Amino acid sequence: MAKKRRIVYTNRPWEATGICSGCRLCEFYCSLQANGTFNPYRSRVHVVEMATGIDIPITCQQCQDPACQTACEFDAIVFDPKLKIVVVNEADCTSCQACVGACPYGIITMDPVSNKAIKCDLCGDSELACVEICPSRVLGALDDKAVAEVNRRRAAALLAIDDELLRAGPGGEDPVMKKLEKKG
């Protein structure tokens, strides 16, 4: 029985090649795998440019309780027992776009050719095009346990940044120590 998995950005900023380079090969190869054409508008993974030089690839997070499926009034988003995720049944999709607005990650899009909803289907459980082609090796197909580890590291990194900002005020003074000195 296959474990549920999802594609996750597993950046390693401490490594020279451990961040997304913004090459967008994942988008091109995803569209090739899914549609037989190099067209990033038909991709199920999207590279989002956050700032100059900061690119983040994002794809369906294969939610436990998918808002896209709940929003679909036509039962076009259905659970695939083999993949253990929900997939779009294009034959039943009416192009209403309710799933597009419901997705909390903004990752479901409309295929510009078929005008049907598209989302990651893990390449139908074959080799994952985006993971295989990524030259920076920052995309990984992870199960829930591995995703939890990535999320722990991200949360710790955010707390470390927040902690550093609180400790060092303007001029390098430590606001925590200043408060303690005033009390004592």
Side-chain angles (χ1 to χ4, degrees):
M1 183 161 81
K3 282 184 172 180
K4 177 185 157 193
R5 59 187 179 152
R6 68 191 92 168
I7 298 168
V8 177
Y9 178 52
T10 59
N11 62 328
R12 300 170 316 281
W14 56 88
E15 294 178 19
T17 60
I19 58 173
C20 177
S21 68
C23 70
R24 299 183 183 269
L25 284 174
C26 56
E27 292 178 335
F28 285 105
Y29 277 84
C30 173
S31 68
L32 181 66
Q33 176 83 5
N35 306 303
T37 181
F38 283 116
N39 183 342
Y41 296 107
R42 299 186 77 191
S43 177
R44 278 90 168 135
V45 60
H46 300 282
V47 176
V48 178
E49 186 176 328
M50 300 301 292
T52 304
I54 300 175
D55 299 298
I56 308 290
I58 186 166
T59 189
C60 180
Q61 291 303 291
Q62 313 302 350
C63 302
Q64 189 68 29
D65 186 19
C68 61
Q69 184 180 32
T70 303
C72 182
E73 295 179 19
F74 302 97
D75 297 323
I77 300 178
V78 296
F79 183 75
D80 182 314
K82 180 181 175 212
L83 298 174
K84 302 207 179 301
I85 60 171
V86 294
V87 296
V88 177
N89 179 348
E90 286 191 28
D92 292 335
C93 179
T94 64
S95 306
C96 73
Q97 300 187 32
C99 58
V100 174
C103 177
Y105 299 98
I107 197 60
I108 294 183
T109 57
M110 299 301 288
D111 185 303
V113 174
S114 70
N115 199 34
K116 302 291 183 172
I118 56 174
K119 69 176 274 311
C120 178
D121 64 358
L122 299 173
C123 294
D125 210 23
S126 62
E127 292 297 316
L128 298 166
C130 61
V131 173
E132 294 299 315
I133 198 63
C134 180
S136 299
R137 298 284 175 232
V138 295
L139 289 174
L142 307 179
D143 63 16
D144 287 337
K145 184 177 178 182
V147 169
E149 179 60 29
V150 169
N151 288 340
R152 263 192 297 280
R153 290 184 173 278
R154 284 189 181 143
L158 290 172
L159 290 172
I161 290 168
D162 190 44
D163 192 47
E164 184 64 28
L165 290 172
L166 288 174
R167 289 176 186 260
E173 61 221 23
D174 187 342
V176 174
M177 290 306 294
K178 282 200 171 271
K179 283 184 182 178
L180 290 176
E181 289 170 3
K182 285 181 183 178
K183 286 185 179 181

